[in-house]
Amino acid sequence: MFRSAALRSLASVSRSRSIPIASRAFSTSRCIRNEALAPTSLDVFTEEEQMLREAVQRFAVDVVGPKVREMDENECMDPSIIKGLFEQGLMGIETSPDHGGAGCSFTSAIVVIEELAKIDPSVSVLCDVHNTLVNTVVRTYGTQEQKDKWLPLLAEKTLGSFCLSEPASGSDAFALQTRAKKEGDHYIINGSKMWITNSSEADFFLIFANVDPSKGYKGITCFIATKDMGIQIAKKEQKLGIRASSTCTLNFDDLKIPAENVLGGEGKGYKIAIEILNEGRIGIAAQMLGLAQGAFDKAVPYTYQRKQFGQPIGTFQGMQFQIAQAAVDLETARLLTYNAARRKEEGKPFTKEAAMAKYWSSQVAQRVAGSAIEWAGGVGFTRETGIEKYWRDSKIGAIYEGTSNIQLQTIARFIQKEYS
């Protein structure tokens, strides 16, 4: 495996430049694209980010690619893929090298998610949730003891899962019904979670539960739990798309969690959820962007190979206009996504930009993936080419980590605040 000749080189380049290492936090992580801090275009990357992109491209094509169809058909993630992600250093992208991570920028994580999604969005979302949700919460809100204990495991071998949604609390996440009761030096958790990504393979879980319902959302608390504490993995969903990514219902029956596993303080779970989902939406935007680009890259070459009426179908004006429009859509999604990522790194407000990126990228993914099937005709409709899988996978982009309507509502609130 090629774990990180690229990452080792990346680290050596950083040392030789004497670039100060910025703190990695929701609003303070910083990426210096040029030492003079002169304005640059949004698709300019540091040498480290570009090296990482190239390494992930090779891993995705050579290692993930041959297993995509089998994993989709079996609706199961190949364990060797998860192992490979850890071996490549892709499961602790922003985590400090002191804790076994790569110590890279937030945009590096976005680049990884995008590149993986070009080949398989299921693998991409596994990596996305682990990095932009699980790792970031522990890194940002954990005590020093919690970070020292858990971050090395999360960077090197232990897959994480983020447990917020419930049967009765999807978009209204703070209506959750899972309860936690303090008993001595432990909490007892009862309830259930639904639609939980990575839950079948994960051994580390961030569970949101309410310790005092009388306080409403201010009673919500985040807990660290491990599967061996007694988490019950119940129904595994059979889905339209991202089939290799596990999505399960979890049950907690008198789940006993040490008080030292409270993350961020009692009653602070709502703050954690709000902050992390803003960041996570940029990750989903990157996933949808990569998905759309993957479908485009598979279908467009076919239009110049397939001939009808004596010429390649891609040279007919009707087809040319469709392909050109898709290219424009891809570029707008790319710029929105990179802009949101850079704003986050630069410590600027990014909630509106993240919502815009997530909303638009999910729309573009559905449109481009659907068009890609039509460009390839009957061949595109078969599972042999893998083009139809991109369309199936694209539908989730408008649903998870905030539906499209939630994103539009968020954007509208910022507009109202600015103009009213």
Side-chain angles (χ1 to χ4, degrees):
M1 304 295 288
F2 31 81
R3 170 173 173 109
S4 297
L7 292 181
R8 287 194 297 271
S9 298
L10 186 157
S12 65
V13 169
S14 295
R15 286 193 296 270
S16 66
R17 289 179 177 174
S18 299
I19 295 175
I21 299 176
S23 60
R24 306 292 178 192
F26 288 109
S27 60
T28 60
S29 68
R30 187 175 302 274
C31 174
I32 300 175
R33 282 180 281 173
N34 60 72
E35 295 182 9
L37 296 179
T40 64
S41 59
L42 286 171
D43 59 356
V44 171
F45 296 92
T46 64
E47 184 175 352
E48 294 91 335
E49 290 164 350
Q50 189 56 43
M51 290 169 67
L52 183 59
R53 183 188 291 276
E54 293 167 1
V56 176
Q57 285 174 345
R58 293 194 298 272
F59 174 77
V61 171
D62 296 343
V63 179
V64 177
K67 297 180 180 292
V68 171
R69 186 175 179 185
E70 179 183 3
M71 293 193 297
D72 183 62
E73 297 281 357
N74 294 336
E75 300 189 24
C76 184
M77 185 68 63
D78 190 314
S80 68
I81 297 296
I82 301 176
K83 181 180 178 183
L85 290 169
F86 280 108
E87 289 176 346
Q88 293 304 306
L90 303 179
M91 300 300 267
I93 299 170
E94 291 186 86
T95 300
S96 165
D98 293 339
H99 288 127
C104 295
S105 67
F106 175 69
T107 297
S108 294
I110 295 306
V111 165
V112 169
I113 294 162
E114 177 189 357
E115 291 301 325
L116 290 173
K118 290 178 183 178
I119 304 300
D120 190 355
S122 291
V123 175
S124 175
V125 75
L126 179 146
C127 183
D128 176 20
V129 168
H130 184 87
N131 276 288
T132 68
L133 298 186
V134 177
N135 283 346
T136 305
V137 168
V138 176
R139 193 175 59 250
T140 305
Y141 289 99
T143 64
Q144 191 60 50
E145 290 75 16
Q146 288 171 334
K147 288 187 282 189
D148 290 343
K149 179 177 182 180
W150 299 110
L151 287 177
L153 294 173
L154 291 168
E156 295 170 4
K157 64 179 182 180
T158 302
L159 183 63
S161 186
F162 185 83
C163 310
L164 179 63
S165 297
E166 297 183 2
S169 63
S171 295
D172 185 9
F174 293 159
L176 61 84
Q177 298 298 306
T178 298
R179 301 291 184 248
K181 182 180 180 181
K182 183 77 176 292
E183 292 187 1
D185 60 355
H186 286 77
Y187 286 83
I188 305 299
I189 294 182
N190 284 283
S192 63
K193 297 291 179 180
M194 199 170 187
W195 317 114
I196 305 303
T197 301
N198 291 354
S199 49
S200 180
E201 301 87 2
D203 285 307
F204 178 95
F205 298 81
L206 294 178
I207 301 173
F208 290 81
N210 201 318
V211 300
D212 188 352
S214 69
K215 294 182 179 179
Y217 68 88
K218 292 186 177 180
I220 297 174
T221 302
C222 183
F223 298 88
I224 295 173
T226 55
K227 185 175 288 186
D228 59 11
M229 290 179 179
I231 294 173
Q232 300 172 34
I233 311 299
K235 178 186 177 184
K236 182 179 179 181
E237 302 294 343
Q238 294 181 304
K239 308 189 297 294
L240 170 70
I242 56 168
R243 292 177 177 175
S245 168
S246 64
T247 306
C248 304
T249 297
L250 307 183
N251 293 327
F252 314 124
D253 295 327
D254 291 332
L255 182 67
K256 189 176 181 181
I257 296 181
E260 65 189 35
N261 283 21
V262 170
L263 191 61
E266 190 173 290
K268 301 300 183 182
Y270 76 95
K271 182 178 186 294
I272 294 173
I274 289 174
E275 294 282 356
I276 194 63
L277 289 176
N278 285 333
E279 178 172 336
R281 285 165 184 160
I282 307 175
I284 298 303
Q287 182 205 19
M288 292 295 110
L289 168 61
L291 181 159
Q293 189 67 59
F296 189 89
D297 291 346
K298 276 202 171 186
V300 172
Y302 177 83
T303 70
Y304 299 116
Q305 298 163 8
R306 169 73 166 167
K307 291 185 177 181
Q308 291 288 278
F309 306 102
Q311 68 184 83
I313 60 174
T315 62
F316 286 97
Q317 187 180 67
M319 287 290 291
Q320 289 177 325
F321 285 2
Q322 291 180 44
I323 293 170
Q325 182 62 61
V328 172
D329 287 347
L330 279 164
E331 188 68 6
T332 58
R334 182 174 295 109
L335 294 176
L336 281 168
T337 301
Y338 292 171
N339 180 58
R342 293 302 189 194
R343 287 182 68 90
K344 183 265 175 188
E345 288 183 341
E346 292 167 3
K348 298 177 180 177
F350 65 91
T351 301
K352 180 182 72 174
E353 289 75 13
M356 287 179 168
K358 199 266 187 186
Y359 167 77
W360 185 243
S361 294
S362 67
Q363 299 294 306
V364 168
Q366 290 187 45
R367 188 157 56 243
V368 173
S371 294
I373 294 173
E374 296 175 18
W375 297 340
V379 171
F381 195 68
T382 68
R383 284 183 284 184
E384 183 177 353
T385 62
I387 296 174
E388 56 82 34
K389 178 181 179 298
Y390 286 107
W391 182 83
R392 287 190 287 107
D393 290 351
S394 74
K395 299 299 291 184
I396 192 60
I399 300 172
Y400 61 8
E401 292 200 36
T403 65
S404 289
N405 282 340
I406 291 294
Q407 306 314 311
L408 290 173
Q409 184 180 59
T410 298
I411 297 164
R413 285 174 178 169
F414 278 94
I415 294 171
Q416 181 179 351
K417 183 178 180 181
E418 181 180 356
Y419 286 94
S420 64

